Amino acid sequence: MKLGLVWFGDDLRCADQNMLWRAVQEVDYLICLYCDEPHNNHPSRYATQGMSVNRRRFLNQGIQDLALQLQALGQTLFVSSMDAATSLNLLLNEIPISHLYRNHHGGWDEQQTLNRIESRYTDVRIHLDHGLSLFTPSQLPFDVAQLPDSFSKFRRLIENLDVFPPYLHYKNYHQCQRSTFNTFALGSLSK
């Protein structure tokens, strides 16, 4: 039995979501998770305010919409009010998750969390996709390490690249069974 965890972030959608499509194809059971990071509600160390009321409303609408889309696919979205590192550690310690699916995120905190999970849970296969960007690194005409130092130079290199339509619409996904692990771990994540 293969149990997968799809960790949603700034990608609150099912349509054109390659990581979700891949998860449904590769695992027998699926857990869908969104971590509503508590630090977003407080001023940061850089003196920026926490999440505004309008942004919070927009995020909540996105989470609700994703939950409905997943429900139409026979899945449940678990929303954790804990930070991602805590939520993932709790799940990975309590449930035999074999695959973790995530879209690559350039944020420092997100990358550090993923690096810690990768080093701590070596038996979990981590699958990264590029659903947060228009192009995948393999589509670029240069190595990502050689990224041009200005937008104009970048634009000139990529402006003639083909932009492909979404890979697959979520209605074409085959049914992956919803996780039946009704343990403390999953129950403690739901709001």
Side-chain angles (χ1 to χ4, degrees):
M1 173 189 77
K2 291 190 230 172
L3 176 61
L5 171 65
V6 175
W7 171 20
F8 287 95
D10 294 334
D11 47 6
L12 300 176
R13 67 189 191 286
C14 288
D16 82 324
Q17 189 63 275
N18 292 340
M19 75 160 176
L20 181 59
W21 178 83
R22 185 175 179 185
V24 168
Q25 302 304 315
E26 295 177 352
V27 300
D28 303 308
Y29 296 92
L30 194 58
I31 297 171
C32 299
L33 175 68
Y34 175 79
C35 299
D36 192 3
E37 299 282 347
H39 67 82
N40 287 333
N41 299 319
H42 308 289
S44 73
R45 61 182 155 212
Y46 304 109
T48 59
Q49 70 176 25
M51 190 177 292
S52 71
V53 173
N54 289 334
R55 186 169 176 211
R56 170 53 63 187
R57 184 180 324 113
F58 180 75
L59 176 62
N60 287 341
Q61 289 170 346
I63 293 169
Q64 290 170 0
D65 188 57
L66 175 62
L68 290 173
Q69 291 175 44
L70 288 168
Q71 185 177 21
L73 295 171
Q75 301 298 323
T76 300
L77 177 65
F78 292 93
V79 178
S80 174
S81 58
M82 297 178 279
D83 64 88
T86 303
S87 300
L88 291 168
N89 278 310
L90 177 64
L91 283 172
L92 292 168
N93 282 326
E94 298 291 326
I95 299 173
I97 293 168
S98 58
H99 294 69
L100 172 65
Y101 298 87
R102 173 83 168 151
N103 274 318
H104 177 268
H105 193 292
W108 171 259
D109 293 335
E110 292 82 356
Q111 288 193 19
Q112 291 304 306
T113 297
L114 199 55
N115 289 340
R116 282 192 296 269
I117 294 299
E118 189 172 28
S119 65
R120 186 168 182 190
Y121 302 96
T122 56
D123 56 333
V124 176
R125 291 191 59 207
I126 296 177
H127 306 273
L128 288 179
D129 208 309
H130 294 278
L132 295 174
S133 56
L134 188 57
F135 300 107
T136 65
S138 64
Q139 291 174 293
L140 296 174
F142 51 83
D143 187 75
V144 176
Q146 305 299 319
L147 190 68
D149 59 359
S150 73
F151 178 75
S152 294
K153 291 176 185 176
F154 173 77
R155 179 187 49 79
R156 282 192 288 277
L157 289 170
I158 60 104
E159 64 189 351
N160 293 321
L161 293 179
D162 290 328
V163 178
F164 298 103
Y167 183 62
L168 186 64
H169 195 273
Y170 69 90
K171 289 183 180 175
N172 295 332
Y173 293 174
H174 83 270
Q175 188 74 18
C176 182
Q177 293 185 335
R178 178 186 332 206
S179 173
T180 56
F181 292 94
N182 292 324
T183 64
F184 168 77
L186 285 176
S188 67
L189 293 177
S190 298
K191 278 188 174 181

